[in-house]
Amino acid sequence: MLDTQLKTQLATYLANLKTPVELAVFLDQGVKSKELNELVQEIAAMSPLISIVELDGANERAPSMLVKSVEKNTQIRFAGVPMGHEFTSLILALLHSGGHPIKLDEAIIEQVRQLEGEFVFETYVSLSCQNCPDVVQALNMMAAINPNITNVMIDGSEFGQEVQSKNILSVPAVYLNGEAFAQGRISVAEILKKVDVNAGAREAKSISNKEAFDLLVLGGGPAGAASAIYSARKGIRTGVVADRFGGQVQNTMAIENFISVNETTGPKLVANLESHVRDYDVDIMNGQRVKNIIEADVKGGYITVELENGATLKTRSAVLATGARWREMNVPGEQEYRGKGVAYCPHCDGPLFKGKSVAVIGGGNSGIEAAIDLAGIVSHVTVLEFDTTLRADAVLQEKARSMGNIDIIMNAQTTEVTGDGSKVNGLNYTDRESGESHHLELAGIFVQIGLVPNSQFLEDSGVELTNRGEIIVNNNGETSMAGVYAAGDVTNTPYKQIIIAMGSGATAALGAFDYLIRTPQVDSENNQAA
């Protein structure tokens, strides 16, 4: 089942087990059951602390496996064979069940431990989804801490009937005690906010009680990470407020133009970014959204940052690095069928449309790459491009046109997403040249039409924006608000690239530091120099 390299890697990790772990498998006569049984046997042979037990599998999914801590009586489950992106989830489940320390803040661990009641989580994934492991691992950590919490990773391609009965067309999809709980990426902190009713208020109070920062970075993508590192290296008090660390890069599967790194993936790059930031004394406040930024009363005074949870922070300077999000079509039916056939991540959700017909909206690099990717999974892909020519690189166009199951329609304006009330069944588009309307019967629609800057919180702030909502900056990353700088995809930089975002993040932090050393600190309340 496992090749030599994986066996060596796994054996090294399992040497860190401290307490006994029991494994149980629930099998049928299928090929996947044979694979899972072989995997469990190989794992058990690698450590004397791992044993295989027989349990009643009458009400269990097959194939599936259970990872149980003998000492704490906690349980983590995997329905299907946890390979691909979920192999790491399996390794961590074994380690955490065997007493290896969980890398969470002690306050978070204690909050999870104190949760009362029964929490049965089911997480539907595809093994090619790079976002799914984060959710699976977050819930698995909670299950490893509190025996009242269980989580089962369910491979959607292996348990198609369940997926269809629940009308799951986007992953990760999380259910709690049989009810829909969350769609897409979600962290431990965000889960706790939903299940612990008092968590939000406690968190807001804790954040509001923090001392003022010298530089506060809003955003945790490549630009924000670079800003935080450059700021912290100057020895000033630095904080990061991020909706989710890594931002849009988390959804990028293949990165091949990051100089000095031949190839990597978004999740790997984000993990390295966060690790690098944490090497410094940076206060990371993850899972937080900015509501407003208020200019200081006087130059050199404190800027106020308001968060959506009601918390407020004070800082002498700030770097806005909130990035961008996928642009939506803004047509009837899009929001109604979002997650029910309308998708934005082909790597995550493509496997759920195996053997079906789908459309890709957009003929740029991301759109044509998505079409090529999907063509190996689905039966047919139709690319709809609004313009008269494709904007994708020539090599991508050539590849797409060489594939027998990709059609490309130019001059196509999507006008409506259609469905049967529960899922997508097609779309309507207008031929912009002839004015004729057409209908395509489809199971899924992947929207790949560019990015929108995450700058809505600045609309009434006084920070100058372009007509597209981008923050206007000068060569130093300076905005129109004193002490506030900006970097990355949220700005009016002409090229939205990871390496450019990192460079602009460093520039903004250096610009902010220059502002700090040249601007006397002022107590905003009495306008006196500190």
Side-chain angles (χ1 to χ4, degrees):
M1 180 65 191
L2 300 176
D3 60 29
T4 303
Q5 183 178 357
L6 280 178
K7 283 184 178 180
T8 302
Q9 178 188 15
L10 185 54
T12 301
Y13 286 127
L14 294 181
N16 294 306
L17 292 177
K18 295 177 174 60
T19 59
V21 176
E22 292 181 347
L23 304 180
V25 288
F26 309 102
L27 310 173
D28 55 21
Q29 302 303 311
V31 174
K32 290 295 181 181
S33 284
K34 183 179 179 182
E35 290 180 10
L36 182 61
N37 189 49
E38 186 179 345
L39 175 63
V40 169
Q41 296 292 335
E42 290 180 355
I43 291 172
M46 291 182 187
S47 171
L49 288 174
I50 298 178
S51 61
I52 299 175
V53 298
E54 291 187 11
L55 297 175
D56 180 11
N59 298 315
E60 300 287 346
R61 297 176 178 89
S64 66
M65 67 181 294
L66 178 149
V67 181
K68 180 180 179 181
S69 166
V70 175
E71 183 178 83
K72 297 182 293 182
N73 197 35
T74 59
Q75 296 185 7
I76 298 169
R77 297 170 180 263
F78 297 89
V81 184
M83 298 299 290
H85 287 299
E86 294 298 345
F87 187 63
T88 301
S89 301
L90 173 60
I91 294 174
L92 289 172
L94 291 164
L95 291 174
H96 294 155
S97 298
H100 190 67
I102 295 175
K103 292 184 179 180
L104 286 175
D105 185 85
E106 279 300 323
I108 294 288
I109 292 175
E110 186 58 29
Q111 187 179 352
V112 173
R113 188 178 287 122
Q114 294 298 325
L115 285 177
E116 297 180 355
E118 186 175 12
F119 301 88
V120 179
F121 288 100
E122 299 170 301
T123 308
Y124 292 86
V125 308
S126 65
L127 300 183
S128 62
C129 168
Q130 71 269 27
N131 293 325
C132 295
D134 286 352
V135 178
V136 171
Q137 290 162 27
L139 289 165
N140 283 354
M141 285 190 288
M142 293 177 65
I145 295 167
N146 188 333
N148 294 323
I149 302 171
T150 61
N151 180 51
V152 53
M153 177 222 81
I154 304 168
D155 179 2
S157 64
E158 185 65 23
F159 295 89
Q161 268 193 328
E162 280 190 52
V163 167
Q164 290 178 16
S165 67
K166 292 182 176 178
N167 197 29
I168 296 171
L169 293 172
S170 183
V171 291
V174 181
Y175 283 71
L176 171 59
N177 297 336
E179 300 292 331
F181 177 76
Q183 185 79 48
R185 185 186 296 274
I186 189 168
S187 66
V188 173
E190 290 168 322
I191 295 166
L192 286 171
K193 284 180 185 177
K194 297 185 72 170
V195 299
D196 185 348
V197 293
N198 297 316
R202 290 197 305 269
E203 184 180 54
K205 183 178 180 181
S206 174
I207 291 174
S208 295
N209 287 336
K210 291 179 183 290
E211 293 180 17
F213 291 91
D214 292 312
L215 189 147
L216 188 62
V217 180
L218 309 184
S227 292
I229 290 168
Y230 268 72
S231 172
R233 286 176 62 86
K234 294 295 184 181
I236 61 178
R237 178 165 164 73
T238 303
V240 174
V241 173
D243 184 10
R244 59 167 178 152
F245 203 94
Q248 193 76 6
V249 177
Q250 285 276 18
N251 300 331
T252 304
M253 189 58 185
I255 299 172
E256 298 176 346
N257 59 354
F258 190 69
I259 310 305
S260 83
V261 179
N262 289 343
E263 60 178 309
T264 186
T265 66
K268 286 182 181 178
L269 179 59
V270 167
N272 290 335
L273 284 174
E274 185 168 3
S275 175
H276 196 175
V277 172
R278 291 187 184 279
D279 282 344
Y280 298 93
D281 186 16
V282 176
D283 187 343
I284 299 177
M285 292 159 274
N286 214 351
Q288 303 298 327
R289 293 190 177 188
V290 182
K291 179 182 179 182
N292 193 21
I293 182 167
I294 302 171
E295 189 171 12
D297 294 338
V298 294
K299 189 174 182 179
Y302 285 116
I303 298 159
T304 301
V305 175
E306 298 178 345
L307 305 185
E308 286 190 357
N309 67 358
T312 59
L313 292 162
K314 298 288 186 180
T315 183
R316 292 181 61 204
S317 65
V319 172
L320 311 180
T322 46
R325 64 189 184 280
W326 291 116
R327 185 181 298 278
E328 298 176 346
M329 297 181 291
N330 293 318
V331 299
E334 180 177 17
Q335 294 305 320
E336 179 183 355
Y337 292 106
R338 189 183 183 115
K340 300 176 183 178
V342 175
Y344 301 85
C345 179
H347 301 296
C348 302
D349 300 332
L352 299 176
F353 297 89
K354 184 177 181 180
K356 299 177 181 179
S357 293
V358 302
V360 172
I361 312 300
N365 280 345
S366 60
I368 299 304
E369 285 174 354
I372 293 169
D373 227 16
L374 290 165
I377 303 170
V378 304
S379 63
H380 189 269
V381 182
T382 302
V383 177
L384 300 178
E385 167 55 45
F386 183 83
D387 209 345
T388 56
T389 57
L390 296 178
R391 291 165 286 109
D393 295 341
V395 65
L396 294 175
Q397 294 188 41
E398 183 178 348
K399 173 66 174 176
R401 295 186 192 280
S402 72
M403 302 183 77
N405 62 340
I406 297 179
D407 286 338
I408 300 174
I409 301 175
M410 312 301 297
N411 264 330
Q413 180 177 0
T414 305
T415 57
E416 183 182 10
V417 173
T418 64
D420 62 6
S422 62
K423 62 182 183 297
V424 165
N425 62 19
L427 66 75
N428 297 328
Y429 74 92
T430 299
D431 184 319
R432 295 176 58 238
E433 186 174 5
S434 68
E436 294 180 359
S437 295
H438 302 272
H439 176 77
L440 291 176
E441 292 187 1
L442 304 161
I445 300 167
F446 290 84
V447 184
Q448 302 282 292
I449 54 175
L451 300 171
V452 177
N454 293 320
S455 61
Q456 289 73 21
F457 69 98
L458 296 171
E459 289 176 355
D460 299 320
S461 68
V463 173
E464 189 177 358
L465 308 174
T466 69
N467 58 6
R468 294 187 297 274
E470 297 168 322
I471 301 171
I472 297 173
V473 295
N474 64 14
N475 289 341
N476 297 329
E478 189 175 14
T479 74
S480 60
M481 182 180 288
V484 177
Y485 293 71
D489 289 0
V490 74
T491 71
N492 61 336
T493 181
Y495 304 111
K496 314 301 185 185
Q497 298 290 315
I498 294 170
I499 196 164
I500 292 173
M502 286 184 175
S504 68
T507 297
L510 293 173
F513 181 72
D514 189 62
Y515 166 83
L516 291 173
I517 62 177
R518 295 174 185 275
T519 306
Q521 183 177 352
V522 173
D523 182 345
S524 298
E525 293 184 0
N526 54 31
N527 293 347
Q528 297 293 314

